[in-house]
Amino acid sequence: MSYKVLITDYEFENLKYEEVVFKESGLEIEFLKAQCKSENEVIDQAKHVDAILNQYAPLSRRVIQSLEKVKVISRYGVGVNTVDLDAASEKGITVANVPDYGVEEVSNHALALLLSFARKITYLNSEVKKGNWDFKAGISIHRLNEQTVGVLGFGRIPRRFIEKVQTLGFKTSAYDPFVSKAEMNEVGVNKLELDQILKEADYLSVHVPLIKDTFHLLNKDRFRLMKKNAVVINTARGPIIDERALIDALQKGIIAGAALDVTEDEPIDKTSPLLKMDNVILTPHSAWYSEEAMIELRQKAAKNIVQVLRGEKTPYALT
């Protein structure tokens, strides 16, 4: 039996890792490659395929209802906000992700952003290059063990991030309604409710998935609960933060800074005030990346499809 697998869109230079997985699967697979941007383009390309590999193209309820033969949708990455999970489940389509490929990379990136602010690395680098050789340009800097890192989420990545910041001496607290206080206490983390963690954190690192309940989780009212010296770090998804409210909070000194690997619109709008703020660090959705993580991601995403087409269960199935 032969199968058609469609990749809806991709940013990689080639698809050699996916092609090897399919070739070595023992299945007869025709690999169709597209660069869909809209629902209509996906609908047109996916009419007669058996499986879908997805990066950013929208797989809405409308798209999923149009699928005639699809058995599995495999998404590159941890988040599945491009896919309507309810619609897929209703149609009996397996949706799978790759939740464990970039734990070290993302936790390291969040840590690097935190330390850049804690020691004012990027700001002092800029000052020195302007000719200002004066440590007083970085006033004030505080000892790490006298500061609290608040973490939103308690999955694989935030737990690894917490391990790393604890090693440096930071006090840690976390918010996750799905994890018990006892489980957090076992690893030396103080479980707090959302409003309380916002009030206490010197650094707030965002690691929750983007779902209906977390859209604009950090908004105008919640920024006003935070310390004036607080810095927000986001390596999760841009829309978890209300970007207009963030810009307003930064401009008015309600919080001290932000370090963002993700923004509401990507790439970031060239007119965004964030680009001109000295108290903002921006990276281009690169926290996930290392050569090793990229290869692991692509291989596992392809293997999800092979397993389902074989009639097996993938350990990464969400529906």
Side-chain angles (χ1 to χ4, degrees):
M1 187 173 181
S2 63
Y3 300 96
K4 292 183 178 180
V5 176
L6 170 73
I7 183 167
T8 59
D9 58 308
Y10 60 98
E11 294 181 324
F12 313 118
E13 290 184 4
N14 57 60
L15 295 168
K16 63 181 180 180
Y17 299 108
E18 294 85 348
E19 288 168 345
V20 168
V21 170
F22 293 146
K23 183 177 180 180
E24 295 179 350
S25 69
L27 302 174
E28 186 178 337
I29 292 176
E30 181 182 358
F31 191 19
L32 308 175
K33 297 150 192 175
Q35 290 290 8
C36 303
K37 302 296 183 185
S38 68
E39 292 181 10
N40 287 340
E41 289 175 331
V42 178
I43 290 170
D44 181 63
Q45 294 287 333
K47 282 180 180 178
H48 305 297
V49 303
D50 301 284
I52 291 176
L53 260 176
N54 172 250
Q55 188 166 29
Y56 300 124
L59 300 181
S60 65
R61 174 172 289 274
R62 174 172 169 255
V63 172
I64 289 170
Q65 287 178 337
S66 76
L67 302 176
E68 298 177 4
K69 298 175 57 182
V70 169
K71 297 178 179 66
V72 55
I73 295 169
S74 181
R75 187 175 187 282
Y76 291 112
V78 180
V80 288
N81 49 290
T82 60
V83 185
D84 189 317
L85 294 179
D86 290 337
S89 180
E90 291 166 14
K91 194 135 181 161
I93 297 172
T94 297
V95 178
N97 62 349
V98 187
D100 55 0
Y101 78 99
V103 173
E104 289 301 315
E105 286 76 10
V106 179
S107 59
N108 283 339
H109 200 91
L111 178 62
L113 293 173
L114 188 159
L115 290 176
S116 290
F117 259 103
R119 296 301 306 173
K120 299 196 175 177
I121 301 298
T122 55
Y123 178 72
L124 289 172
N125 172 66
S126 177
E127 287 297 300
V128 169
K129 289 181 176 180
K130 292 175 184 176
N132 184 18
W133 186 270
D134 187 355
F135 82 93
K136 293 189 293 295
I139 291 174
S140 59
I141 293 174
H142 299 280
R143 287 179 175 172
L144 305 186
N145 63 6
E146 295 185 5
Q147 298 177 85
T148 296
V149 176
V151 179
L152 304 187
F154 205 66
R156 291 181 179 87
I157 291 170
R159 289 185 194 216
R160 189 71 180 107
F161 171 71
I162 286 169
E163 289 178 17
K164 293 170 182 178
V165 299
Q166 285 177 333
T167 300
L168 294 170
F170 285 104
K171 296 183 282 289
T172 55
S173 58
Y175 164 76
D176 193 319
F178 303 105
V179 179
S180 70
K181 180 178 181 180
E183 189 173 348
M184 290 191 187
N185 288 347
E186 284 180 4
V187 290
V189 178
N190 187 23
K191 178 180 169 70
L192 296 177
E193 294 303 316
L194 180 58
D195 286 357
Q196 191 62 35
I197 206 169
L198 295 176
K199 291 175 183 177
E200 295 187 9
D202 297 292
Y203 298 93
L204 184 74
S205 193
V206 180
H207 298 279
V208 295
L210 177 60
I211 57 176
K212 182 179 179 181
D213 290 341
T214 61
F215 177 78
H216 285 184
L217 183 68
L218 297 183
N219 51 40
K220 179 179 179 180
D221 292 336
R222 289 191 168 126
F223 286 128
R224 292 186 179 279
L225 295 175
M226 299 180 72
K227 294 179 177 181
K228 286 191 173 182
N229 67 288
V231 174
V232 175
I233 300 162
N234 189 6
T235 53
R237 288 292 184 269
I240 295 166
I241 296 177
D242 180 342
E243 209 160 276
R244 289 186 180 181
L246 173 64
I247 290 168
D248 184 66
L250 292 167
Q251 290 175 333
K252 292 180 178 177
I254 294 170
I255 63 172
L260 309 174
D261 184 56
V262 289
T263 54
E264 282 212 68
D265 295 312
E266 296 183 5
I268 190 170
D269 191 299
K270 292 180 181 179
T271 64
S272 173
L274 294 170
L275 293 169
K276 297 182 179 180
M277 294 182 178
D278 290 336
N279 57 343
V280 174
I281 298 173
L282 296 164
T283 55
H285 204 146
S286 58
W288 66 275
Y289 171 73
S290 71
E291 283 296 305
E292 295 79 7
M294 180 179 65
I295 294 169
E296 182 181 359
L297 168 66
R298 294 169 61 181
Q299 290 174 334
K300 286 184 173 180
K303 286 177 182 178
N304 283 337
I305 286 176
V306 168
Q307 287 173 311
V308 175
L309 293 181
R310 281 177 176 164
E312 302 168 359
K313 289 186 177 180
T314 170
Y316 301 133
L318 298 170
T319 61

